[in-house]
């Protein structure tokens, strides 16, 4: 069951990780200009989580009369709130990068997140590494660094060199910050001092996204985004109706990303969550080139090759490590013949 739920969360993460950047870029390339509003949409769909939480409560209520509607203790709530605020800042950094860079470029830069995740996982949760996982981290990071070479030709038309490079470095900052957030969530699980269930994970997701949304709401108020939304919708190139559809689906798809990410951490580790996010890079890359006709230069090809190599290296190591553990377990267990012989000895 644990493996099944892990696969389900990987699928949810895949939907959010590939769809989120694409629909966010769709908002910007057709007339959307509000970065704070775009970052708000990354977590603004948090009320969706109330539906599965309500279902979970009704199910507990059917078996236990005095079932608690909220499982989260104050200690976990406070930790989730702090992580949520940090997530709000990360949302803004990421949205700024997507506004200034092609999706294929920003997606490849986000691959550097894996190196930060690995480093912080080692420090915060004592993550153990193998030669294969280290090789994967190095290759995936090197693939993202290659993008820093000769990227001026990838700059969208009409965008200044200053804005392009600011978007580039803020996207790197977003990758570093989220690389810190993932192990921080795993550390919160370890220090929770209460039973961890998937219902509790959803409650944590709700709190994190709520406080991230509050952080972005403050930015929207300062930037007068709320007053500009109706005007922006009327001027949107695809029409007012499609503007609101893009906005609504953006909020829904990004919830898949966050729920899938913390679900993978719950059923496995923050490092695996970072690996999955990076592994999905080629899919996002191809979809961006097909959907928005973005350029695919030699640097992106090299970066994509290194990313795929890192992906294969990591999972080859995991398969060998799992097989080795299984063989060791079988060797440690006495055979039926040995047990029968021991039973026959007086």
């Amino acid at each position: 069951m644990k493996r099944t739920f892990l696969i389900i969360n990987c699928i949810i993460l895949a939907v959010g990780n590939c769809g989120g950047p694409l629909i966010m870029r769709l908002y910007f390339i057709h007339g959307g200009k509000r970065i704070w509003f775009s970052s708000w949409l990354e977590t603004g769909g948090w009320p969706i989580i109330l539906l599965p939480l309500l279902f979970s409560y009704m199910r507990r209520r059917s078996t236990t009369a005095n079932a608690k509607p909220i499982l989260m203790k104050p200690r976990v709530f406070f930790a989730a709130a702090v992580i949520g605020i940090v997530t709000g800042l990360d949302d803004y950094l990421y949205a700024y990068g997507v506004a200034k860079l092609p999706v294929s470029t920003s997606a490849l830069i986000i691959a550097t997140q894996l190196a930060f995740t690995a480093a912080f996982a080692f420090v915060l949760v004592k993550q153990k590494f193998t030669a294969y996982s280290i090789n994967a981290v190095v290759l995936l990071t090197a693939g993202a660094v290659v993008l820093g070479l000769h990227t001026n030709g990838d700059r969208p038309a009409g965008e200044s060199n200053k804005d392009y490079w600011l978007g580039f470095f803020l996207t790197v900052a977003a990758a570093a910050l989220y690389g810190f957030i993932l192990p921080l969530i795993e550390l919160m699980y370890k220090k929770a001092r209460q039973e961890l269930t998937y219902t509790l994970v959803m409650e944590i997701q709700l709190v994190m996204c709520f406080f991230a949304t509050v952080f972005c709401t403050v930015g929207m108020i300062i930037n007068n985004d709320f007053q500009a939304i109706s005007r922006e919708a009327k001027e949107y190139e695809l029409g007012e109706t499609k503007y609101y559809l893009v906005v609504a689906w953006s909020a829904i798809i990004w919830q898949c990303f966050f729920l899938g990410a913390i679900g993978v951490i719950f059923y496995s580790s923050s490092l695996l969550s970072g690996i999955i996010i990076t592994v999905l890079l080629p899919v996002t890359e191809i979809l961006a080139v097909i959907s928005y006709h973005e350029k695919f230069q030699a640097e992106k090809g090299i970066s994509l090759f290194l990313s795929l190599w890192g992906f294969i290296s990591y999972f080859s190591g995991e398969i060998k490590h799992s097989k080795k553990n299984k063989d060791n377990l079988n060797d440690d267990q006495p055979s039926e013949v040995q047990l029968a012989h021991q039973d026959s000895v007086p």
Side-chain angles (χ1 to χ4, degrees):
M1 289 298 294
K2 180 180 178 181
R3 181 173 296 179
T4 301
F5 283 120
L6 177 59
I7 293 173
I8 292 172
N9 277 273
C10 286
I11 294 172
I12 295 173
L13 177 57
V15 172
N17 191 70
C18 296
L22 292 172
I23 198 166
M24 180 181 283
R25 186 61 181 166
L26 182 66
Y27 165 80
F28 284 116
I29 64 177
H30 289 292
K33 296 181 177 64
R34 298 288 161 173
I35 296 175
W36 275 112
F37 179 47
S38 187
S39 61
W40 185 92
L41 290 173
E42 292 183 57
T43 53
W46 61 266
I48 297 172
I49 305 298
L50 290 171
L51 295 177
L53 283 176
L54 178 62
F55 174 78
S56 176
Y57 172 66
M58 297 300 293
R59 187 177 179 181
R60 296 198 308 274
R61 187 73 181 270
S62 64
T63 56
T64 307
N66 59 346
K68 295 181 180 180
I70 300 175
L71 301 179
M72 184 183 298
K73 293 183 178 180
R75 176 188 178 89
V76 178
F77 174 85
F78 178 76
V82 172
I83 296 175
I85 294 172
V86 177
T87 301
L89 173 60
D90 186 69
D91 290 344
Y92 177 77
L93 296 175
Y94 180 77
Y96 192 98
V98 173
K100 304 300 179 182
L101 303 174
V103 174
S104 53
T105 301
S106 62
L108 285 168
I109 295 172
I110 288 297
T112 59
Q113 168 191 305
L114 181 59
F116 295 110
T117 301
F120 286 121
F122 177 77
V123 174
L124 295 177
V125 295
K126 311 303 180 185
Q127 176 71 47
K128 294 182 179 179
F129 291 91
T130 64
Y132 292 96
S133 59
I134 293 174
N135 185 52
V137 169
V138 171
L139 288 170
L140 289 164
T141 305
V145 170
V146 169
L147 287 175
L149 306 174
H150 311 294
T151 51
N152 282 338
D154 196 33
R155 189 170 69 242
E159 187 170 299
S160 68
N161 191 52
K162 178 182 177 182
D163 286 342
Y164 179 88
W165 282 107
L166 182 59
F168 187 95
F169 288 115
L170 287 184
T171 304
V172 174
L177 190 56
Y178 201 67
F180 173 68
I181 289 172
L182 290 177
L184 201 59
I185 294 172
E186 185 175 358
L187 181 64
M188 175 176 59
Y189 289 165
K190 291 180 180 293
K191 302 291 185 180
R193 295 181 184 174
Q194 68 175 105
E195 182 184 1
L196 285 174
T197 63
Y198 195 69
T199 299
L200 179 60
V201 168
M202 288 192 292
E203 290 182 2
I204 291 172
Q205 160 78 358
L206 182 74
V207 173
M208 284 173 53
C209 287
F210 173 78
F211 279 92
T213 304
V214 169
F215 179 89
C216 294
T217 300
V218 174
M220 287 183 67
I221 293 172
I222 296 173
N223 202 43
N224 296 321
D225 279 10
F226 286 105
Q227 296 90 325
I229 290 175
S230 59
R231 182 178 68 254
E232 189 174 72
K234 293 177 182 178
E235 298 173 353
Y236 197 61
E237 293 177 5
L238 300 179
E240 188 173 359
T241 302
K242 289 186 178 179
Y243 174 86
Y244 288 112
L245 282 175
V246 168
V247 166
W249 277 106
S250 182
I252 294 171
I253 291 173
W254 277 117
Q255 278 303 300
C256 292
F257 171 80
F258 286 105
L259 184 60
I262 68 171
V264 171
I265 295 173
F266 173 69
Y267 288 112
S268 182
S269 67
S270 57
L271 182 62
L272 180 60
S273 186
I275 289 285
I276 294 297
I277 291 170
T278 308
V279 162
L280 294 169
L281 167 65
V283 180
T284 307
E285 183 79 19
I286 293 169
L287 290 174
V289 172
I290 294 173
S291 303
Y292 302 133
H293 308 289
E294 295 181 354
K295 297 178 183 179
F296 196 88
Q297 299 116 316
E299 289 83 5
K300 289 185 182 180
I302 295 172
S303 181
L304 185 59
F305 171 75
L306 291 173
S307 297
L308 290 173
W309 185 6
F311 157 68
I312 294 170
S313 175
Y314 178 82
F315 282 99
S316 296
E318 286 297 299
I319 292 171
K320 289 183 178 180
H321 183 67
S322 177
K323 185 178 179 181
K324 183 179 179 181
N325 286 342
K326 187 176 180 180
D327 291 340
N328 290 338
L329 182 63
N330 291 335
D331 291 341
D332 291 339
Q333 292 177 346
S335 65
E336 293 181 4
V337 176
Q338 290 174 323
L339 291 173
H341 176 70
Q342 291 174 1
D343 292 339
S344 63
V345 175

